[in-house]
Amino acid sequence: MLSQIQVTGNKDTRSGFGDGILEAARTNPNIIALTADLLGSMKLNGFIKEFPERFVQCGIAEANMIGIAAGLTIGGKIPYTTTFANFSTGRVYDQIRQSVAYSGKNVKICASHAGLTLGEDGATHQILEDIGLMKMLPGMTVVVPADYNQTKAATKAIADHEGPVYLRFGRPVWPIFTKEEDFVLGKAQKLSDGKDVSIFACGHLVWKAVEAGKILEEKGISVEVINIHTIKPLDTEAVLASIQKTKCAVTAEEHNIIGGLGDSIAQVASKHLPIPIEYVGTNDTFGESGKPTELLTKYGLDTPHIVAAAEKAMSRK
């Protein structure tokens, strides 16, 4: 099945967000876009051109943006806040916790430039803790789509979900290999069937997991690759169905292995079916400036690292 997965183009996931919010706004008049002085980076130009009266420029005042968004929900609006992932979470965690999560406000926190692939902007902008921060908030849905098509689909889907959502995506041009119609909020996407090892991945590393899976299949290893685009609520049924077959797993994420996707998978396994698990992600560290692909290699998040993790996990059965 992995050999059938083909790249249909290359585009940044943030453009998927920009195109998705525009399409969603055309059918839902309650959608409002807010930004903290980053309308270009967040690909909101099309939205602003078509719906200028539904756009709020908050300036470099992210905490205020979250407060405005929370207030807008009281009038039945569906606010999408937009800025870099670091400023969407770390800078405004108190406001999200108190004004959005605690009170269950229908705010969509849309965060671009996540992870190491922000590249040259460096450690101050490359947040690697945000999935953990957001999934720990009660009632918060956390979505990390894999490519342009899936980000576009997720952006539209969260408008119909009642409650706070954290949507995480990125800056670099990345392979497009999914179909919009295959995205279902809360349902993991199985990309291949396998019996030797399960690879659970999210975001940019889903494509790296596909590449790794193809290499492993050439070695005669049967690989099950699963795209966990919705990290919370986690599709535990899909996770358990996979590890019951393979009896070992790899998790791959552009995030700290402490608190991210890997921890979520491990928690399910430890409660129901303890298995060997290897983690591909950053290891309790900040990032640094550099080209995105070089940073993924340096920090152990590239295709060969997933291949090695899979072989190690199998050796531990």
Side-chain angles (χ1 to χ4, degrees):
M1 192 182 295
L2 287 176
S3 61
Q4 298 173 350
I5 297 175
Q6 301 296 321
V7 174
T8 58
N10 294 276
K11 207 167 187 179
D12 49 311
T13 49
R14 59 178 171 156
S15 288
F17 167 75
D19 292 343
I21 191 174
L22 178 56
E23 286 192 16
R26 286 171 178 160
T27 59
N28 192 327
N30 287 317
I31 290 176
I32 308 291
L34 302 87
T35 195
D37 199 38
L38 285 170
L39 66 90
S41 293
M42 299 302 300
K43 302 298 183 179
L44 289 172
N45 301 81
F47 182 97
I48 295 166
K49 183 178 180 180
E50 199 161 326
F51 303 108
E53 75 285 357
R54 289 158 62 182
F55 170 70
V56 182
Q57 173 59 270
C58 298
I60 306 175
E62 292 86 356
N64 189 43
M65 177 174 67
I66 295 297
I68 293 171
L72 284 168
T73 66
I74 298 172
K77 302 303 181 185
I78 306 174
Y80 281 58
T81 66
T82 68
T83 184
F84 291 0
N86 193 14
F87 309 140
S88 289
T89 56
R91 180 170 287 182
V92 294
Y93 196 69
D94 178 64
Q95 284 73 24
I96 293 172
R97 183 183 187 275
Q98 305 294 84
S99 299
V100 176
Y102 177 61
S103 42
K105 294 293 192 297
N106 193 30
V107 175
K108 315 307 175 186
I109 301 165
C110 304
S112 183
H113 294 58
L116 288 172
T117 50
L118 175 52
E120 290 84 352
D121 285 4
T124 56
H125 288 49
Q126 296 163 342
I127 194 162
L128 297 164
E129 314 91 59
D130 54 318
I131 293 174
L133 286 169
M134 300 306 281
K135 78 175 187 179
M136 285 190 292
L137 289 170
M140 182 69 70
T141 294
V142 179
V143 185
V144 187
D147 64 3
Y148 166 87
N149 283 344
Q150 199 158 83
T151 306
K152 184 179 178 183
T155 302
K156 293 188 288 185
I158 62 175
D160 298 323
H161 172 81
E162 183 65 33
V165 175
Y166 180 59
L167 178 63
R168 183 194 208 242
F169 43 95
R171 176 188 188 183
V173 171
W174 210 251
I176 301 170
F177 59 97
T178 73
K179 298 177 182 178
E180 281 187 58
E181 57 268 27
D182 292 336
F183 176 84
V184 179
L185 189 66
K187 284 294 282 186
Q189 180 186 19
K190 186 193 291 187
L191 297 173
S192 67
D193 285 302
K195 58 183 176 58
D196 293 331
V197 61
S198 301
I199 302 178
F200 301 101
C202 64
H204 290 138
L205 290 204
V206 177
W207 176 246
K208 295 295 183 181
V210 170
E211 289 184 328
K214 291 179 179 180
I215 294 170
L216 290 163
E217 284 185 344
E218 289 174 359
K219 297 183 177 186
I221 297 168
S222 178
V223 184
E224 189 147 290
V225 177
I226 298 181
N227 174 11
I228 305 288
H229 51 66
T230 307
I231 293 180
K232 183 187 175 187
L234 184 67
D235 189 349
T236 55
E237 184 178 330
V239 173
L240 288 172
S242 183
I243 63 175
Q244 282 168 355
K245 290 190 298 179
T246 63
K247 301 298 190 294
C248 69
V250 172
T251 63
E253 58 192 313
E254 194 181 342
H255 186 272
N256 195 338
I257 60 173
I258 301 171
L261 169 64
D263 274 1
S264 293
I265 299 297
Q267 187 177 89
V268 171
S270 66
K271 289 172 68 175
H272 301 280
L273 183 66
I275 56 165
I277 301 177
E278 292 294 325
Y279 305 92
V280 174
T282 58
N283 189 5
D284 196 25
T285 183
F286 292 102
E288 62 180 288
S289 297
K291 294 186 183 303
T293 54
E294 293 176 354
L295 290 172
L296 290 178
T297 299
K298 176 172 181 177
Y299 286 86
L301 278 64
D302 210 349
T303 303
H305 301 98
I306 300 176
V307 171
E311 292 174 333
K312 185 174 181 180
M314 288 188 294
S315 73
R316 294 174 54 207
K317 286 192 198 183

